[in-house]
Amino acid sequence: MKRIVIFASGSGSNAENIICSLAGNKFLSFPMIISNRRDVFVHERAERIGVPSFFFSKQQFEDGDVLKFLLGHGIDFIVLAGFLLRVPVNLLQTFHDRIINIHPALLPKFGGQGMYGDRVHEAVVAAGERESGITIHYVNENYDEGRIIFQARCIVNPDDTPGAVAARVHELEYRYFPKVIEQLAILS
Ligand code: GRF
């Protein structure tokens, strides 16, 4: 049984979708969700689906408190789903090639520090791109630069608003992220 923790900093729709989509998989368990913010909706989603969620401050990530907590709970794999902090070296070293992230664009374009949420879709529309999509990648010490695992594409119409692009990208996230996690976590 692989024990997977999800890190989320905001709404948590991907976290909820992953846990609910993989609830029937007897090889995976999702014992907790961790957030670096107290006042975000992911905690309500966690309560609704019966998964404990915890707050840890940025300092506690950097001081190794989160690492100790994860090891104490036998966590095998970390999934970032809308997590906005840079992952500290203590976690990268301990969970080498066992931390993955999803980015709502086709990296290496439209990634990097500050590129998250609607800002990404606004940049894609402003650039006149004809397609966008998702990128699932291993996490390293830099934002959105780890080895790419999977990408899926969607069209961008000339008259699309960033919101229309966001909706199409979210659909790809919900469809593919659980599948990629299922394949990777079991093999890791
Ligand atoms: C998603 O668009 C994901 O690609 C990005 O952050 C967003 C998180 O949304 N990393 P949610 O919190 O899962 O609703």
Side-chain angles (χ1 to χ4, degrees):
M1 173 78 81
K2 286 289 166 66
R3 295 168 57 82
I4 304 172
V5 61
I6 299 177
F7 289 2
S9 300
S11 167
S13 70
N14 273 280
E16 180 175 12
N17 176 64
I18 290 162
I19 293 172
C20 295
S21 302
L22 296 176
N25 184 314
K26 61 182 184 300
F27 297 106
L28 304 178
S29 74
F30 295 88
M32 65 185 68
I33 292 173
I34 286 179
S35 182
N36 61 306
R37 305 240 333 248
R38 291 185 199 279
D39 58 341
V40 288
F41 194 57
V42 67
H43 295 295
E44 290 182 49
R45 290 182 190 272
E47 189 175 357
R48 188 168 63 200
I49 61 179
V51 173
S53 68
F54 301 90
F55 161 78
F56 284 94
S57 68
K58 183 169 186 271
Q59 198 57 50
Q60 288 178 299
F61 278 90
E62 290 169 358
D63 289 351
D65 294 355
V66 172
L67 173 58
K68 285 192 201 81
F69 186 76
L70 298 184
L71 295 177
H73 285 79
I75 296 297
D76 301 294
F77 204 84
I78 301 173
V79 170
L80 310 187
F83 186 66
L84 299 181
L85 293 184
R86 195 191 303 268
V87 176
V89 172
N90 65 70
L91 284 174
L92 292 172
Q93 285 177 341
T94 310
F95 288 92
H96 181 68
D97 273 356
R98 291 188 289 149
I99 310 178
I100 63 172
N101 179 49
I102 189 167
H103 184 73
L106 297 171
L107 294 176
K109 295 172 79 174
F110 306 108
Q113 187 156 10
M115 285 302 281
Y116 58 86
D118 291 340
R119 293 180 185 186
V120 175
H121 310 303
E122 285 158 9
V124 165
V125 168
E129 296 291 326
R130 301 309 305 273
E131 64 176 10
S132 190
I134 60 170
T135 302
I136 299 170
H137 62 94
Y138 288 106
V139 171
N140 67 17
E141 63 282 6
N142 299 315
Y143 286 105
D144 304 327
E145 286 187 10
R147 196 164 78 251
I148 291 175
I149 299 163
F150 174 82
Q151 291 189 308
R153 285 163 162 70
C154 62
I155 59 161
V156 176
N157 300 306
D159 57 350
D160 272 342
T161 61
V165 177
R168 252 178 247 127
V169 169
H170 273 308
E171 272 177 39
L172 294 175
E173 294 171 347
Y174 302 151
R175 186 187 319 160
Y176 291 109
F177 206 5
K179 289 187 171 67
V180 171
I181 290 165
E182 190 168 35
Q183 286 160 24
L184 279 184
I186 289 173
L187 298 174
S188 72

